[in-house]
Amino acid sequence: MNPTLSSRPFMSALRWLVFAIAVVVLNFPVIATLVTSLKSDAEISSNASLIIEDPTLDNYAAIFAMADRFDILHYLMNSLVASLIGSALAIGLAFPAAYAMARFKTGRSWLLPLAVNLRAVPLIIFAIPIYLMYQQVGLLDTRLGLAFIFALVNIPLVLVLFTSAIAELPFEIEEAARVDGASTLRLIWHVVLPMSLNVVAASSVLAFIYSWNEFLFGLMLTTSRATPISVGASFFFAASGGGVRWGVAAAVMILATLPPLLLGLLMYRQIGRSMTAGAVKG
Amino acid sequence: MTRLKVLLAGAAMLAAMGLSAAKAEVTVLGWPGGPEEAGLRKVAEAYNAKASDADKVKLIFFNRDGFFDKLAADLAAGTTEFDVNLLATYALGRYAPFMEPITLPAAAKETFPEKVLATMQYDGKQYGIPTDLSLHFMYYRSDLIEKLLSDADWKKTYGEISEKHLGKKLEPKDPDQWTWEDWMATALFFTKSINKDSPTRYGSVLQMKNLLFNMMVWHSAARAQGGDWMDASGAVTVDSPAFRTALEMYKTLYDDGATPKDSTSYEYAEANAAFGSGQAATMLQWNAAFADLDSKEKTPAVAGKIGTVAPPTGPAGRFTHIHGLGLGINKASTHKEGAVKFLDWLATPEAMTIYAKAGGSPALTDAVVANIVAERPDLKKLGEFAGSYGFVMNGGTAAKALQVYELQAKEFTAYWSGEKTLDEALAATKSGMAELLKQ
Amino acid sequence: MERQTILQGRVLITPLTAFLIALLGFPLLLDLVYSVSRVGFENIRAPELSGLGNYAKALADPEFWAAAWFSLRFGVIVASIQVVAGLMLAIFLAPLFAARPWLIAFLMLPMMVAPALVGLMYRLILHEFVGAVPYYLLEWYGDFPAFLGRQWVFTTLVVIETLQWTPFALLILHSAYAAISPDVREAAALDGATGFRQLVSIDLPLMLPAIGVTAFIRFIDSFRVFDNIYTLVGSGAGGSTTSMSIYIYQAFFKVGDIGLAVAASMLLLAASFVVLWTINRLTARRDPA
């Protein structure tokens, strides 16, 4: 730290000011949407400022009053289930593969780059073929089908995180276990996995958030039974038929954003660490 | 690995031809979110109350944004997720290959006028039962127009503004007598940057986003100038003077600031928000917007002060674009018999009365409307406007009509936003349309 | 032993490989077939082989190149601003984060919001009559730009993308900055390097790899931008906001020219592999040195 700079109280105040401005500016879309969600329809059409004259929860109540047409809990549940399965699947598939890559160099030269490069490909190019395939195997409009896509989206990042984390683990412990005659699978399950719990936790949070926010495939591959909230939220834009009810739309967007936002606040440390690791190693 | 791929591909291809398991009910995919949905729910309820278990209908809805994109993918892939699905006049050509033509029940002629039944016909075949009709109203602020018609100072300013911007001195007129020029003069008059005494910021709000529905709205202006997509011989006539005039009208209003400067990103919702805030004096808009705008809870600034008439008159007459929404049968459906039963019932006066009372906008014969008119006075206007002013562009139901709308949306918004000249935009549209509409 | 590890390794990567083949193998194959066929929604099951016409059509389409140029420009500009802004914030705010690490959580929040929803939110926020931004600009300055008009829409999209993803750059650069050992700085201070000179001669060179990686990741993500642009303005007036992904989507769904859309996708896929392969080669060559 630079003592001459940080000791001045003026600089410290300036830092706080910059920090506060950055927080407000960067989070402005969410803040403004939250404000709108607390205004009545009448107030929205007459007062666009950030000061609410007559706060109301009517928009939130209206969402639940529409449950027979747009069941938000159903969409939230779809997102929750599909995101959980998708994240778990990505981790379950990537962990053993990452071990093989880190310790035996298996597939390092082709599978790792191939999987990682998936991150750079606009997945939209697979949309129609996947649709046709899903239709035949009965995965269309199912949470499981959605979960497979979520896993696919997350595999690149998770694989990179695991490979580099496992490479950094001390090899001696594994060797000791091997001498005791443990099989590779047991070794992974009983020795490597427990030592990697941190990175597993961190990447599952990240994978969950990315799954929750996936939009295009949710739109394409679901009809009604498995619609995720990222898509369901946009239904409400036309919910009144006549025009957009901005207040209701804003309230839905807030509800749809809340879970990842809260996760982000609670687990910022893990998310930060895995994003950094994923970026630097990827 | 290669063998596995081939195997997988083969299996999927084979299965693609196969059948899927039978379901117990008839599934209906409706137009989500609006009064159409409310209407369909009531109708389905009434139908299920008397139908046998095997014939009962189940409703599903999906996203309104991108609805037709997804429907195209579903139908092309031969989905069996639904048996009956939504159809629209302008998309008939696109979906007809995946739909089962229907035979109209006798009751249909009692319920719907011929012109309305025709909105669900393609290539001489009937593909659906028309449930709703969409067309345009010219919305205006009745309080402001009233003052304009009576206030001498306003009249004088009106004359000056029209002379300066349109090159001729005009007198304020009743909106039902408007020509497109009168409307433009009114829009300019009620624009604050032109007339600082204007009570509204803008004289109109135009929907100029690169979106096919916006072309439909604007077509009412083009047709009144005499514009059509093709002439009788099938030659594309999109570069006619009529199209030029109508395109220039929008451009003039946009450049002169008579519509919000973000209008090039405006569609239905944005336009309603502008008009609903009380800051726009006129708006050419779909009939469906009226109920919301006139609601005291939703837009107190304008509720009770809205007039609606048919779009203004042009040299070729007075016109409004019309299209129908309806329900037809998915060719891949595994419940066609049940689906036919439902559609047959839907075409009865009884079903359509329920539908209209729940909020839908069907265009019905006079005899049927007479029973509902007390509750839905607007349906009478809807039927009258459709009958007197309704038009469909020549080629408007062609297999690639949707693509034509997309093309026009892209090229015309390029002109309005200043990215292309009028000649460039029209040349590109003409060659593109010739390609899309050739038989 | 050697053989056994190879075998074990293969067993361990089998589930992942099988999953990727199952989910992407058939689609890739079908895409390859479509890209050399005349195919639209009407014959999606029975494409007619037509050779390389779709590739030629894509390469000859000025809009394909316009979309590629849009994405490239967007990616480069957005990535540069994000890196610079993230770097400045990371260094300037470092003392705050050092004392209270949880403060960074509030700056990370924008990344948690779905880009599709961010687009929808701005549709509300930027609207002249219901949005807060035009309201305050009008209040304070008496005027505001047409955010989504032709003149400003690119800038608006850049700002939106920047606001959502600068936190990513901030986060990575912050940890790179925090990882610089105090010893290095003290040694520099003894040599008389303080403040700005220390930053330029010590900190930035040490952070260079992190800066490069951040810029690259941000570029890739912004190059394939879709969700937020699509929900906010679609393809824009006259197609002025058509990114590469939107071009493919439009060709696919709106125009129904599936062959063209897929050929464009394949070109994009090939281009991204070339770029990544080059980068891999470059870094691989540098590593041992």
Side-chain angles (χ1 to χ4, degrees):
Chain A
M1 219 87 352
N2 191 322
T4 49
L5 276 184
S6 55
S7 61
R8 286 186 230 152
F10 168 73
M11 281 308 286
S12 173
L14 193 62
R15 280 187 227 281
W16 278 105
L17 183 68
V18 169
F19 172 75
I21 292 175
V23 168
V24 171
V25 169
L26 293 176
N27 291 297
F28 187 75
V30 177
I31 297 169
T33 307
L34 179 67
V35 167
T36 305
S37 77
L38 298 172
K39 290 181 185 170
S40 66
D41 283 342
E43 188 172 342
I44 289 169
S45 77
S46 61
N47 165 27
S49 77
L50 290 175
I51 313 295
I52 312 171
E53 278 157 17
D54 186 13
T56 168
L57 288 173
D58 284 357
N59 293 318
Y60 292 90
I63 296 173
F64 294 99
M66 274 189 259
D68 61 324
R69 292 166 56 196
F70 301 103
D71 189 352
I72 189 164
L73 294 177
H74 179 65
Y75 305 144
L76 289 169
M77 192 50 99
N78 287 337
S79 277
L80 182 70
V81 172
S83 301
L84 284 177
I85 301 176
S87 316
L89 193 62
I91 287 164
L93 290 169
F95 199 83
Y99 182 81
M101 288 177 188
R103 289 291 185 246
F104 310 143
K105 312 281 175 221
T106 321
R108 259 199 105 102
S109 57
W110 59 275
L111 185 57
L112 187 64
L114 207 70
V116 170
N117 288 3
L118 266 184
R119 193 189 142 91
V121 176
L123 289 176
I124 183 176
I125 66 175
F126 296 119
I128 279 281
I130 287 183
Y131 183 101
L132 289 170
M133 190 167 80
Y134 267 29
Q135 198 192 12
Q136 295 321 314
V137 291
L139 280 173
L140 215 52
D141 203 17
T142 62
R143 289 166 174 174
L144 188 64
L146 208 53
F148 285 157
I149 300 292
F150 291 169
L152 183 69
V153 169
N154 281 304
I155 279 173
L157 179 70
V158 172
L159 192 65
V160 167
L161 287 177
F162 288 166
T163 312
S164 59
I166 293 171
E168 278 163 21
L169 291 178
F171 198 43
E172 297 75 35
I173 305 177
E174 281 169 59
E175 275 186 328
R178 238 178 235 290
V179 171
D180 290 347
S183 75
T184 304
L185 273 184
R186 286 179 56 110
L187 190 75
I188 293 177
W189 184 253
H190 290 289
V191 180
V192 185
L193 190 62
M195 288 196 293
S196 320
L197 278 186
N198 258 338
V199 66
V200 170
S203 42
S204 30
V205 175
L206 209 54
F208 181 86
I209 292 176
Y210 284 153
S211 302
W212 187 277
N213 288 344
E214 167 62 38
F215 175 74
L216 182 69
F217 279 91
L219 187 68
M220 288 286 312
L221 300 178
T222 68
T223 314
S224 58
R225 289 191 301 271
T227 308
I229 185 69
S230 57
V231 176
S234 62
F235 289 10
F236 289 82
F237 253 70
S240 78
V244 168
R245 286 185 67 186
W246 300 99
V248 174
V252 170
M253 288 194 269
I254 291 299
L255 289 183
T257 306
L258 219 48
L261 223 54
L262 289 180
L263 257 183
L265 269 182
L266 291 175
M267 314 277 284
Y268 76 95
R269 214 184 277 269
Q270 285 79 356
I271 295 174
R273 215 178 291 140
S274 51
M275 273 190 177
T276 310
V280 175
K281 306 288 162 44
Chain B
M1 202 171 76
T2 338
R3 197 179 299 164
L4 184 62
K5 264 190 202 165
V6 173
L7 209 66
L8 264 170
M13 291 276 196
L14 267 181
M17 318 293 170
L19 298 167
S20 70
K23 284 172 291 174
E25 295 171 318
V26 177
T27 308
V28 178
L29 171 67
W31 186 230
E36 300 89 357
E37 183 188 324
L40 190 55
R41 282 185 186 275
K42 284 281 180 214
V43 167
E45 226 170 77
Y47 179 74
N48 284 343
K50 62 183 195 74
S52 71
D53 275 350
D55 289 340
K56 285 200 193 314
V57 298
K58 188 181 112 196
L59 305 180
I60 58 171
F61 299 91
F62 48 68
N63 201 5
R64 201 158 169 146
D65 256 345
F67 183 96
F68 287 109
D69 301 343
K70 180 159 165 50
L71 184 58
D74 280 336
L75 288 174
T79 183
T80 52
E81 292 286 310
F82 46 82
D83 307 294
V84 172
N85 62 270
L86 180 92
L87 276 177
T89 306
Y90 49 84
L92 268 182
R94 185 169 188 185
Y95 299 132
F98 317 112
M99 305 292 297
E100 188 80 23
I102 60 171
T103 317
L104 279 174
K109 299 238 156 67
E110 250 175 77
T111 318
F112 305 101
E114 283 292 337
K115 203 167 182 172
V116 173
L117 286 171
T119 62
M120 291 287 118
Q121 286 161 5
Y122 177 71
D123 234 7
K125 293 187 197 110
Q126 187 81 28
Y127 280 95
I129 303 295
T131 51
D132 295 85
L133 195 71
S134 289
L135 48 72
H136 306 128
F137 290 159
M138 178 58 80
Y139 291 75
Y140 63 91
R141 286 282 301 281
S142 48
D143 54 332
L144 301 180
I145 298 294
E146 205 170 295
K147 182 161 181 207
L148 176 62
L149 290 171
S150 56
D151 187 306
D153 285 347
W154 278 25
K155 278 187 182 172
K156 186 163 159 280
T157 319
Y158 184 96
E160 287 162 12
I161 288 175
S162 61
E163 184 154 35
K164 182 168 165 219
H165 288 261
L166 302 174
K168 61 175 110 162
K169 197 165 177 144
L170 296 171
E171 290 264 323
K173 270 196 268 174
D174 178 75
D176 212 16
Q177 313 297 321
W178 277 350
T179 63
W180 286 93
E181 242 173 7
D182 291 319
W183 166 67
M184 285 178 77
T186 311
L188 293 164
F189 174 82
F190 282 110
T191 297
K192 198 146 231 152
S193 61
I194 294 171
N195 169 15
K196 63 181 192 314
D197 295 331
S198 166
T200 57
R201 211 181 290 163
Y202 301 104
S204 191
V205 50
L206 305 177
Q207 302 170 52
M208 302 165 97
K209 183 177 177 175
N210 179 356
L211 184 76
L212 72 160
F213 303 110
N214 291 346
M215 289 302 107
M216 298 177 187
V217 178
W218 172 81
H219 276 164
S220 296
R223 186 54 169 252
Q225 307 298 324
D228 206 343
W229 285 6
M230 302 188 289
D231 61 19
S233 71
V236 173
T237 51
V238 74
D239 56 350
S240 63
F243 269 86
R244 286 174 185 275
T245 311
L247 282 166
E248 281 162 354
M249 277 175 7
Y250 264 43
K251 175 83 170 154
T252 305
L253 291 181
Y254 179 64
D255 288 350
D256 287 354
T259 180
K261 43 187 157 188
D262 258 352
S263 297
T264 49
S265 68
Y266 276 24
E267 55 177 297
Y268 188 75
E270 280 84 359
N272 283 347
F275 191 83
S277 72
Q279 292 296 337
T282 68
M283 169 173 72
L284 186 61
Q285 180 65 297
W286 300 93
N287 55 310
F290 184 77
D292 265 9
L293 291 173
D294 206 38
S295 146
K296 282 222 159 33
E297 282 87 59
K298 290 175 184 164
T299 49
V302 298
K305 300 181 229 168
I306 304 172
T308 54
V309 290
T313 308
R318 196 173 186 182
F319 292 99
T320 173
H321 161 102
I322 53 167
H323 70 247
L325 293 179
L327 293 170
I329 298 176
N330 174 5
K331 198 179 228 165
S333 160
T334 47
H335 293 93
K336 285 186 189 153
E337 241 172 85
V340 168
K341 276 188 206 162
F342 175 64
L343 290 188
D344 281 356
W345 182 74
L346 196 63
T348 60
E350 180 198 357
M352 276 298 123
T353 307
I354 298 171
Y355 189 75
K357 284 186 176 167
S361 298
L364 305 167
T365 52
D366 293 347
V368 185
V369 167
N371 300 323
I372 322 168
V373 75
E375 285 171 62
R376 292 289 305 275
D378 55 316
L379 288 188
K380 196 156 178 287
K381 211 178 224 179
L382 185 77
E384 282 167 13
F385 283 8
S388 314
Y389 312 122
F391 77 91
V392 175
M393 287 283 183
N394 182 13
T397 57
K400 300 214 162 156
L402 269 179
Q403 283 98 313
V404 170
Y405 278 115
E406 297 282 358
L407 172 68
Q408 291 186 354
K410 179 160 154 274
E411 295 299 331
F412 295 170
T413 55
Y415 164 60
W416 287 333
S417 67
E419 189 145 326
K420 282 190 177 178
T421 65
L422 182 54
D423 287 332
E424 285 166 356
L426 283 175
T429 314
K430 189 175 187 182
S431 65
M433 278 175 69
E435 183 68 26
L436 289 167
L437 292 171
K438 88 177 163 214
Q439 290 302 317
Chain C
M1 182 65 201
E2 189 60 16
R3 252 176 111 163
Q4 203 196 343
T5 51
I6 290 176
L7 194 69
Q8 279 179 346
R10 283 198 182 148
V11 171
L12 289 174
I13 63 166
T14 301
L16 180 65
T17 316
F19 178 77
L20 290 179
I21 292 176
L23 210 54
L24 296 180
F26 168 67
L28 193 62
L29 197 72
L30 193 61
D31 271 352
L32 283 173
V33 173
Y34 278 172
S35 74
V36 292
S37 305
R38 230 179 45 77
V39 55
F41 281 111
E42 58 285 356
N43 63 341
I44 202 162
R45 290 274 168 66
E48 297 164 39
L49 287 183
S50 71
L52 295 175
N54 289 320
Y55 289 97
K57 194 172 166 191
L59 290 173
D61 184 359
E63 278 158 33
F64 173 82
W65 294 107
W69 172 237
F70 178 95
S71 283
L72 190 70
R73 203 161 57 112
F74 187 73
V76 168
I77 293 178
V78 162
S80 318
I81 303 180
Q82 287 176 358
V83 166
V84 171
L87 195 63
M88 282 171 19
L89 282 175
I91 293 173
F92 188 67
L93 298 179
L96 291 189
F97 297 146
R100 301 174 187 77
W102 49 270
L103 283 179
I104 209 165
F106 293 95
L107 292 178
M108 280 166 55
L109 289 181
M111 289 189 282
M112 311 300 149
V113 185
L117 290 183
V118 170
L120 290 177
M121 287 177 183
Y122 277 103
R123 225 177 124 178
L124 170 74
I125 296 164
L126 296 179
H127 190 280
E128 180 168 346
F129 302 99
V130 293
V133 173
Y135 173 86
Y136 283 108
L137 288 181
L138 201 61
E139 192 96 315
W140 296 335
Y141 303 105
D143 198 12
F144 57 88
F147 297 103
L148 305 175
R150 171 169 161 263
Q151 227 186 330
W152 287 95
V153 68
F154 187 79
T155 313
T156 305
L157 293 173
V158 165
V159 171
I160 289 174
E161 181 85 357
T162 303
L163 288 184
Q164 185 169 17
W165 296 106
T166 294
F168 183 89
L170 167 68
L171 187 69
I172 309 230
L173 298 174
H174 164 67
S175 45
Y177 185 73
I180 298 174
S181 127
D183 300 348
V184 178
R185 291 212 182 95
E186 264 164 39
L190 285 180
D191 289 344
T194 53
F196 188 70
R197 267 194 53 206
Q198 181 192 314
L199 185 70
V200 174
S201 57
I202 308 289
D203 297 339
L204 287 185
L206 285 172
M207 290 169 78
L208 210 53
I211 292 175
V213 167
T214 310
F216 181 66
I217 293 184
R218 290 321 317 145
F219 170 76
I220 291 278
D221 281 357
S222 300
F223 183 86
R224 44 176 210 166
V225 62
F226 180 83
D227 294 8
N228 50 4
I229 295 189
Y230 192 74
T231 51
L232 181 62
V233 285
S235 55
S240 53
T241 58
T242 307
S243 73
M244 206 62 229
S245 298
I246 290 183
Y247 174 85
I248 293 171
Y249 182 89
Q250 297 270 115
F252 210 132
F253 288 107
K254 305 280 184 197
V255 186
D257 196 340
I258 294 177
L260 175 70
V262 172
S265 313
M266 291 294 123
L267 289 171
L268 192 60
L269 189 64
S272 67
F273 268 93
V274 168
V275 170
L276 288 165
W277 183 78
T278 316
I279 287 178
N280 283 346
R281 281 297 292 268
L282 288 178
T283 47
R285 201 171 295 167
R286 217 183 47 194
D287 268 348

